[in-house]
Amino acid sequence: MRKVTCQAMIAVALTLLAPMSYASGTYQYRVPFIGLRGPGAGAQSAPSAIGDGIAVDGACAAGLATTCDTLSALTSGMKVDTSGLTTSCVPGYMEGARAKIGESSGKWYWEVTSSNWTNQFMGIGTWNAGIPVGRDGNGWSIVGPDSGTWKEYHNNSQSTLQYLGPATVRRYMLDMDAGQLSVYDGTTLVDTFTGVSGQIFPTNSGTSCSAATFNFGQSNFQYPTPVGYHKGVW
């Protein structure tokens, strides 16, 4: 009788089992390619127009919103450039500009950049707010830093705030659900206005004021949008 080696026995067994394995349909595919997701892969979050405290993308810049806000001049001496985002004003008269879109609910974030805030009353107001913004109960603004101090201005009353230095980027966080506006110098809180109500528009006013450029989400921000706030105004 011919001696049967172990190698031969294994070969015969594999030959017999192979068709059964393929026919049974119980084998599993493996996906070794990077970038392909199997059933156990974690879900990726979709881009959002709401801030997470980390991302600096503007909603319109990222294609997450359209028609982000712009400004229009309220007086002849207030100059608004063709982009509708940069304001400046002539000497001698009190001038004003107001955003075209107002908000009455939700949380909204924007930034303003300027090399000189002197004589600028920057803030928010209703459609009927007087000039400069803050001269009546329909407007809320931060003035300065002027002569070494920041001042809040509302209902024709000014209060001196802590001097924080000549900020380059001023950050505005409008929470219409809570009825308040928080203003930051970079990452430092300057002031919080409460009792804000109505349909509210970003504004600027002043005399002999330097150029100030608003970002309502048309481009990336200098700082992350706070958690829960819209990445701009639209």
Side-chain angles (χ1 to χ4, degrees), residues 65-85:
T66 58
T67 62
C68 281
D69 214 348
T70 56
L71 299 116
S72 58
L74 299 176
T75 57
S76 60
M78 175 63 78
K79 306 303 179 184
V80 179
D81 74 350
T82 55
S83 72
L85 297 174

Side-chain angles (χ1 to χ4, degrees), residues 147-166:
S147 301
T149 60
W150 297 68
K151 296 178 181 179
E152 69 171 32
Y153 191 36
H154 172 62
N155 206 20
N156 203 31
S157 176
Q158 291 191 12
S159 300
T160 300
L161 303 171
Q162 178 186 5
Y163 175 57
L164 300 172

Side-chain angles (χ1 to χ4, degrees), residues 84-193:
L85 297 174
T86 298
T87 62
S88 60
C89 50
V90 301
Y93 298 93
M94 189 59 69
E95 312 293 348
R98 181 180 59 221
K100 297 177 181 178
I101 299 173
E103 307 295 350
S104 56
S105 63
K107 299 179 179 181
W108 307 88
Y109 176 75
W110 68 95
E111 294 177 351
V112 187
T113 302
S114 181
S115 60
N116 186 356
W117 298 99
T118 301
N119 297 327
Q120 299 202 57
F121 295 72
M122 189 83 66
I124 57 172
T126 66
W127 186 265
N128 298 318
I131 299 173
V133 176
R135 65 174 293 182
D136 54 31
N138 296 317
W140 299 259
S141 68
I142 298 290
V143 188
D146 186 9
S147 301
T149 60
W150 297 68
K151 296 178 181 179
E152 69 171 32
Y153 191 36
H154 172 62
N155 206 20
N156 203 31
S157 176
Q158 291 191 12
S159 300
T160 300
L161 303 171
Q162 178 186 5
Y163 175 57
L164 300 172
T168 300
V169 180
R170 193 174 289 179
R171 306 168 66 205
Y172 291 84
M173 304 171 194
L174 177 63
D175 184 350
M176 290 306 300
D177 298 331
Q180 67 181 33
L181 171 72
S182 296
V183 184
Y184 280 74
D185 169 14
T187 58
T188 303
L189 178 65
V190 177
D191 196 19
T192 297
F193 292 101

